[in-house]
C-alpha cells in the first residue's frame, strides 16, 4: 500500500513538474488520477467527513448551505515532518497560509467575493475553489467538497437552486476516476438520501461508491443503523461506514479533532449494537478510502501509461525536429558543418535532376522559351531588299554584277547573329535563376532542417552557393558568346562555296545537291527569280542566301546553347556547389566554427525543456511499468 501511495506521490510530483496539476484547469495527466468527491444533502456532514479524513480543521461547516462552491482540495504529502503544514489557493498563488483557521476564512471570503462578482443574485456557484494543502501527515489525495443537494429550496433560495446543485454535483462525480463518498445522515430515512440517488445515477454498478453514515450519535433514541452497516437495509458493493463527527455545539466550543476522534472511538466501542462491527469510525473510513484509491489507481494505470507513452512519442518527435545537441569541439563542429554542406549538395542535385522544380524547368527554358524567342527574332528586318541593298552598297560599293559581295554578306550575317546572341544569353540567365531557386528549395528540405538552427551557417551556405552559381554563369556566358562567334566565322566560307558552286554549275545528278532552306522554309534551289527585275533578283538571292545561312546557325545554336549551359553551369553546380565553402571551413579554428554553428538560444531552450519533460515522463513510465 505504501508503495502505491508512493507511486501516486511520484506521479503527482511529475505532474507538478510538468506544470500539470489540479490547479491548472486544462490538466490532463492529473485528471487521470482518481479524485474523491463528497456528495450528499445539505448539512448531511460532508465537510465534516472530509475534514475528519484529512485530520485537519479547515472547512466551513454548519447548518444551511455553508459550502457554496466546490472545493477541490489537493493534499500533498511533504517529505520533511518538521516543516509546518500550510495551504495555498490557486487564486492567491505563492501565499502560504499556515493557520488553518485562516484557510477557512479565506474559503468563506473567496466564496463571497466570487458570488458578489457574479452579480450577487446567486447563492451557489459551480466554479471551484482550488486549495492545496501541504503536510507530512496527509495522504496524496485529491478531494472535492461539494455544496449539498436539496429537494426543495429553503432559506429563500430560488427554485432553480435544486437543479443547479444537482447539475454541479453530477459534473464532478460523473467522471470515471471519481470515487463517490455518498454521505447520508443516519438520523434521516435512507430512502430519501440525495447522496444515494445521485450515486446510483452516475455509478449504477456501484463500483465507485462508498456509503458514509453520519450523525449516528444523534439518531432517535431506540433506533440504530446496525442493519444498514450489515448491508441488510440497502446493499452497496463497497459497503457502508458509520462515523461520528462533531456536532454544532462541539464546533462552537472548539472541540479539537483529536478529542473528536477519541470520542468517536468511545462512542462506537461503548454501544453494544456497534461493538462487534468493523465498519465504524473515521479511521476505518480513511483506510477503506486509501485501499479503494489504490485499486482505482491500479485500474487506471494502463490508461495513464498509454497517455504517458503517447506524450513521450509526441515529444520525441518534437525533439527530433529540433535536431540533436551541438557539440563544441572543433572536430565535431567541422564534421557537422561538412555533413550539412554535403546534405545540401545532395538535395540540390536531387532537385536539379528530378521533377517540376528542377530538371523540367530547365528543359522548359531550352525547349520552349529559347525556341520561342529565337523564332520571334526580327530577321525579316535585315532581309528586306532595301536593307540588303543598303548594306551591300555600303560594304562593297555599288558593283551590281558581282556574284558574291563578300563584305555585304558578312555584314548582313553579323547583324543576324547579333540578334541571336540575346536569346542565348537570356537562356543562361534563366537557368541561373532556376538554379538559385533550387538552392533555396534545398535549404528547406527536411534533411537540411538543421540549417534552420544555425543561421550563420545557413547564410554562409546560401552566399557560397550564390557565388558558385555566379561564377558558373559567367563561364556559360563566355561559352555561349564563343559559340555564336564561331558560327559567324566558320560557316561562311564552306557555305558560300557550296551554294555558289551549286548554282553556277549545271545540275549534275551524280553529285547530290545539298538542301538549303531559308528562314521561311523555302528550298533555296527551287526558288525562281526570273519574274523579278535583274537588280532585284540579285538582291533577293543575297537575302535568301543570308536567310538560309541564319536558318542553319539558328538550328545549330538551338542545339548547342543548351549543351553549353548544361556543360558549363548545371553539371559543375551539381558537382561542387559548396566546394569553396568546404575548403574554407576545413581550415577554420574552433572559435570561427563556433560562430558558424551558433544555434539560436530559443531553440536551445526549447530542446532543454522538452528533454526535461521527456526524462520525467520516461521515469513515470518506468515507475508505472514496475506496477503493471
Ligand atoms: P455539509 O453541509 O454536508 O458540509 O455538512 P457540515 O459538515 O457542514 O455539517 C452540518 C452540521 O452537522 C454541522 O453543524 C455539523 O457540526 C453537524 N454534524 C456533522 N456530522 C455530525 C455528526 O456525526 N454528529 C453530529 N452530532 N453532528 C454532526
Ligand atoms: Mg459543507
Amino acid at each position: 500500500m505504501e508503495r502505491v501511495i508512493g507511486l501516486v506521490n511520484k506521479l503527482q510530483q511529475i505532474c507538478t513538474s510538468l506544470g500539470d496539476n489540479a490547479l491548472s484547469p486544462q490538466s490532463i495527466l492529473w485528471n487521470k488520477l482518481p479524485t474523491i468527491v463528497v456528495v450528499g444533502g445539505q448539512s448531511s456532514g460532508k465537510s465534516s467527513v472530509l475534514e475528519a479524513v484529512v485530520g485537519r480543521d479547515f472547512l466551513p461547516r454548519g447548518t444551511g448551505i455553508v459550502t457554496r462552491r466546490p472545493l477541490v482540495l489537493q493534499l500533498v504529502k511533504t517529505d520533511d515532518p518538521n516543516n509546518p503544514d500550510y495551504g495555498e489557493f490557486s487564486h492567491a498563488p505563492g501565499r502560504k497560509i499556515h493557520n488553518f483557521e485562516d484557510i477557512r476564512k479565506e474559503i468563506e471570503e473567496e466564496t463571497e467575493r466570487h458570488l458578489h462578482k457574479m452579480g450577487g443574485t446567486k447563492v451557489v456557484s459551480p466554479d471551484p475553489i482550488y486549495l492545496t494543502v501541504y503536510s507530512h501527515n496527509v495522504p496524496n489525495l485529491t478531494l472535492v467538497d461539494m455544496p449539498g443537494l436539496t429537494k426543495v429550496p429553503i432559506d429563500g433560495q430560488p427554485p432553480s437552486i435544486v437543479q443547479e446543485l444537482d447539475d454541479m454535483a453530477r459534473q464532478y462525480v460523473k467522471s470515471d476516476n471519481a470515487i463517490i463518498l455518498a454521505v447520508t445522515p443516519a438520523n434521516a430515512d435512507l430512502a430519501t438520501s440525495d447522496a444515494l440517488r445521485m450515486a446510483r445515477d452516475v455509478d449504477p454498478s456501484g463500483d465507485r461508491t462508498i456509503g458514509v453514515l453520519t450523525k449516528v450519535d444523534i439518531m432517535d433514541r431506540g433506533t440504530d443503523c446496525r442493519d444498514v452497516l450489515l448491508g441488510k437495509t440497502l446493499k452497496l458493493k463497497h459497503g457502508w461506514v458509520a462515523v461520528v463527527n462533531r456536532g454544532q455545539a462541539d464546533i462552537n466550543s472548539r472541540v479539537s479533532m483529536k478529542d473528536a476522534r477519541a470520542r468517536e472511538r468511545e462512542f462506537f466501542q461503548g454501544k453494544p449494537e456497534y461493538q462487534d462491527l468493523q465498519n465504524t469510525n473515521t479511521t476505518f473510513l480513511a483506510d477503506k478510502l486509501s485501499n479503494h484509491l489504490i485499486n482505482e489507481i491500479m485500474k487506471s494505470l494502463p490508461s495513464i501509461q498509454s497517455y504517458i507513452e503517447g506524450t513521450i512519442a509526441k515529444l520525441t518527435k518534437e525533439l527530433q525536429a529540433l535536431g540533436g545537441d551541438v557539440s563544441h569541439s572543433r572536430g565535431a563542429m567541422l564534421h557537422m558543418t561538412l555533413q550539412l554542406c554535403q546534405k545540401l549538395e545532395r538535395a540540390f542535385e536531387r532537385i536539379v535532376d528530378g521533377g517540376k522544380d528542377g530538371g523540367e524547368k530547365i528543359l522548359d527554358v531550352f525547349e520552349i522559351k529559347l525556341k520561342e524567342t529565337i523564332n520571334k527574332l526580327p530577321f525579316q528586318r535585315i532581309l528586306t531588299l532595301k536593307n540588303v541593298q543598303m548594306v551591300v552598297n555600303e560594304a562593297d560599293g555599288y558593283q551590281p554584277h558581282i556574284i558574291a559581295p563578300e563584305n555585304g554578306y558578312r555584314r548582313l550575317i553579323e547583324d543576324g547573329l547579333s540578334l541571336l546572341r540575346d536569346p542565348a544569353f537570356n537562356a543562361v540567365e534563366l537557368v541561373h535563376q532556376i538554379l538559385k531557386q533550387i538552392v533555396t528549395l534545398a535549404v528547406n528540405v527536411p534533411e537540411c532542417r538543421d540549417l534552420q538552427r544555425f543561421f550563420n551557417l545557413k547564410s554562409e551556405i546560401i552566399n557560397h552557393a550564390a557565388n558558385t552559381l555566379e561564377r558558373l554563369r559567367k563561364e556559360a556566358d563566355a561559352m555561349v558568346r564563343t559559340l555564336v562567334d564561331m558560327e559567324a566565322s566558320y560557316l561562311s566560307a564552306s557555305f558560300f562555296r557550296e551554294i555558289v558552286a551549286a548554282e553556277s554549275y549545271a545540275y549534275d545528278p551524280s553529285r547530290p545537291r545539298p538542301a538549303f532552306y531559308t528562314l521561311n522554309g523555302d528550298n533555296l534551289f527551287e526558288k525562281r527569280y526570273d519574274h523579278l527585275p535583274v537588280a532585284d533578283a540579285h538582291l533577293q538571292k543575297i537575302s535568301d542566301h543570308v536567310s538560309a545561312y541564319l536558318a542553319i546557325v539558328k538550328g545549330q545554336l538551338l542545339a548547342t546553347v543548351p549543351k553549353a549551359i548544361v556543360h558549363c553551369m548545371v553539371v559543375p553546380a551539381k558537382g561542387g556547389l559548396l566546394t569553396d565553402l568546404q575548403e574554407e571551413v576545413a581550415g577554420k579554428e574552433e572559435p570561427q566554427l563556433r560562430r558558424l554553428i551558433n544555434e539560436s538560444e530559443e531553440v536551445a531552450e526549447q530542446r532543454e525543456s522538452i528533454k526535461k519533460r521527456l526524462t520525467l515522463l520516461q521515469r513515470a513510465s518506468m515507475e508505472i511499468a514496475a506496477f503493471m
Side-chain angles (χ1 to χ4, degrees):
M1 190 170 111
E2 275 302 309
R3 276 176 67 222
V4 180
I5 297 280
L7 173 67
V8 177
N9 200 350
K10 275 179 198 150
L11 289 180
Q12 289 183 341
Q13 275 171 6
I14 286 165
C15 287
T16 317
S17 325
L18 292 172
D20 179 27
N21 57 48
L23 304 186
S24 62
Q26 68 280 47
S27 74
I28 300 168
L29 185 52
W30 188 276
N31 280 344
K32 291 194 178 292
L33 296 171
T35 48
I36 297 166
V37 186
V38 191
V39 290
Q42 281 173 16
S43 300
S44 56
K46 296 179 297 298
S47 298
S48 302
V49 166
L50 237 168
E51 271 192 339
V53 168
V54 176
R56 297 297 301 243
D57 295 89
F58 61 98
L59 295 176
R61 289 147 308 171
T63 50
I65 312 186
V66 179
T67 309
R68 295 192 287 158
R69 287 173 68 185
L71 177 85
V72 177
L73 174 64
Q74 184 184 337
L75 301 178
V76 178
K77 188 178 173 75
T78 53
D79 293 335
D80 188 352
N82 299 319
N83 274 350
D85 299 354
Y86 67 92
E88 195 179 327
F89 288 96
S90 73
H91 61 260
R95 191 176 129 214
K96 296 179 178 178
I97 310 178
H98 291 280
N99 183 335
F100 280 70
E101 192 62 40
D102 290 343
I103 291 180
R104 178 186 7 259
K105 269 196 214 129
E106 180 58 33
I107 292 174
E108 285 166 358
E109 283 166 19
E110 172 60 18
T111 303
E112 275 311 315
R113 279 196 293 268
H114 177 77
L115 292 173
H116 188 76
K117 239 190 275 165
M118 308 253 302
T121 53
K122 293 266 186 237
V123 197
V124 293
S125 160
D127 279 336
I129 295 177
Y130 289 100
L131 166 65
T132 310
V133 167
Y134 297 85
S135 165
H136 183 66
N137 301 311
V138 292
N140 281 295
L141 291 179
T142 302
L143 308 156
V144 185
D145 189 18
M146 295 296 296
L149 302 165
T150 177
K151 289 191 192 66
V152 283
I154 48 162
D155 297 346
Q157 297 155 3
S160 61
I161 189 99
V162 178
Q163 194 56 44
E164 269 174 52
L165 290 167
D166 206 85
D167 292 345
M168 197 190 300
R170 202 172 289 271
Q171 200 185 314
Y172 282 85
V173 292
K174 71 171 184 235
S175 119
D176 276 344
N177 61 345
I179 297 170
I180 306 168
L181 270 194
V183 175
T184 305
N187 59 350
D189 194 339
L190 266 195
T192 64
S193 165
D194 296 302
L196 289 177
R197 177 175 52 82
M198 169 74 59
R200 280 224 187 101
D201 248 18
V202 297
D203 175 33
S205 65
D207 282 332
R208 319 188 263 120
T209 307
I210 296 174
V212 180
L213 283 176
T214 53
K215 307 194 181 180
V216 182
D217 57 319
I218 51 174
M219 292 180 72
D220 275 350
R221 215 191 292 230
T223 63
D224 63 65
C225 59
R226 186 179 167 83
D227 281 355
V228 179
L229 291 175
L230 286 172
K232 287 182 183 168
T233 315
L234 196 149
K235 202 165 168 53
L236 282 181
K237 200 166 185 171
H238 295 292
W240 290 88
V241 182
V243 296
V244 170
N245 291 312
R246 287 164 293 185
Q248 193 58 44
D250 303 328
I251 291 171
N252 296 346
S253 60
R254 297 181 178 270
V255 172
S256 76
M257 184 67 82
K258 203 171 146 216
D259 292 346
R261 292 285 73 80
R263 274 182 14 201
E264 183 187 33
R265 244 188 337 267
E266 264 167 44
F267 173 85
F268 285 114
Q269 274 164 13
K271 293 270 188 286
E273 55 270 40
Y274 303 124
Q275 261 167 7
D276 61 323
L277 296 180
Q278 281 203 322
N279 49 340
T280 57
N281 223 308
T282 301
T283 318
F284 181 84
L285 175 62
D287 285 350
K288 191 177 179 70
L289 215 48
S290 36
N291 281 329
H292 195 83
L293 198 70
I294 286 163
N295 286 336
E296 286 306 303
I297 290 168
M298 294 304 275
K299 267 199 281 179
S300 59
L301 280 185
S303 93
I304 294 178
Q305 184 70 312
S306 71
Y307 169 77
I308 290 180
E309 272 159 15
T311 315
I312 288 178
K314 207 184 89 203
L315 289 179
T316 309
K317 248 198 191 149
E318 274 178 40
L319 195 62
Q320 274 165 2
L322 286 179
D325 261 337
V326 190
S327 156
H328 282 130
S329 81
R330 181 174 179 276
M333 286 190 294
L334 192 59
H335 177 71
M336 192 159 117
T337 309
L338 294 178
Q339 222 177 22
L340 275 171
C341 286
Q342 276 164 17
K343 278 184 184 166
L344 185 106
E345 285 187 329
R346 241 170 279 142
F348 178 81
E349 268 181 70
R350 211 178 47 235
I351 304 175
V352 169
D353 284 340
K356 60 178 183 3
D357 293 323
E360 279 179 27
K361 261 194 182 169
I362 294 176
L363 218 60
D364 222 45
V365 171
F366 297 154
E367 291 189 342
I368 297 172
K369 296 211 174 80
L370 184 63
K371 232 180 230 167
E372 267 176 12
T373 37
I374 285 185
N375 283 333
K376 275 195 208 131
L377 289 173
F379 289 118
Q380 294 314 321
R381 233 175 36 202
I382 297 166
L383 299 172
T384 58
L385 295 191
K386 211 172 142 214
N387 187 57
V388 171
Q389 183 176 32
M390 199 183 79
V391 172
V392 168
N393 282 350
E394 263 174 31
D396 299 294
Y398 184 66
Q399 303 169 20
H401 300 297
I402 199 165
I403 295 173
E406 199 179 326
N407 289 332
Y409 270 122
R410 281 197 186 283
R411 278 274 310 277
L412 288 167
I413 287 168
E414 185 54 47
D415 289 349
L417 290 178
S418 69
L419 284 180
L420 278 167
R421 258 185 209 111
D422 275 353
F425 289 146
N426 198 31
V428 173
E429 182 53 28
L430 283 175
V431 174
H432 175 68
Q433 290 301 337
I434 293 170
L435 293 176
K436 266 167 64 175
Q437 283 163 13
I438 295 176
V439 170
T440 311
L441 291 175
V443 166
N444 289 305
V445 299
E447 301 93 285
C448 297
R449 92 162 70 73
D450 265 350
L451 282 181
Q452 312 314 325
R453 293 199 274 158
F454 309 123
F455 183 79
N456 294 344
L457 179 59
K458 182 172 150 185
S459 34
E460 277 297 290
I461 283 185
I462 291 175
N463 283 340
H464 273 79
N467 288 345
T468 304
L469 291 181
E470 181 57 29
R471 177 170 54 75
L472 297 177
R473 188 182 69 87
K474 283 189 183 136
E475 281 168 25
D477 262 354
M479 175 62 101
V480 165
R481 187 183 306 277
T482 308
L483 277 181
V484 178
D485 290 350
M486 262 161 45
E487 298 300 340
S489 41
Y490 171 69
L491 255 175
S492 49
S494 66
F495 174 80
F496 290 111
R497 219 173 293 129
E498 197 81 54
I499 357 178
V500 171
E503 271 193 340
S504 43
Y505 300 110
Y507 175 62
D508 174 1
S510 69
R511 239 178 98 203
R513 231 168 22 168
F516 290 107
Y517 294 95
T518 66
L519 287 163
N520 293 333
D522 300 332
N523 187 334
L524 212 53
F525 300 119
E526 284 166 7
K527 272 200 93 164
R528 307 243 61 88
Y529 299 95
D530 25 16
H531 61 289
L532 291 171
V534 178
D536 282 2
H538 179 63
L539 291 173
Q540 185 63 51
K541 269 187 198 168
I542 296 175
S543 166
D544 285 345
H545 292 168
V546 170
S547 175
Y549 180 66
L550 289 176
I552 292 178
V553 175
K554 190 183 96 174
Q556 208 88 289
L557 288 179
L558 274 175
T560 51
V561 166
K563 284 182 198 162
I565 292 176
V566 170
H567 175 76
C568 295
M569 241 189 346
V570 180
V571 171
K574 274 183 3 186
L577 190 65
L578 298 174
T579 311
D580 290 352
L581 178 61
Q582 280 162 306
E583 280 168 8
E584 198 183 305
V585 162
K588 282 194 189 223
E589 290 309 316
E590 198 181 302
Q592 294 167 296
L593 284 172
R594 191 177 307 214
R595 219 167 299 132
L596 209 53
I597 49 178
N598 186 8
E599 83 177 346
S600 78
E601 235 164 74
E602 201 182 310
V603 175
E605 269 168 27
Q606 215 177 333
R607 179 181 316 99
E608 269 326 291
S609 136
I610 295 183
K611 270 193 179 166
K612 214 173 104 192
R613 284 161 69 197
L614 262 177
T615 318
L616 284 170
L617 286 169
Q618 272 152 356
R619 213 170 65 208
S621 172
M622 264 157 60
E623 306 264 11
I624 293 173
F627 271 87
M628 289 172 26

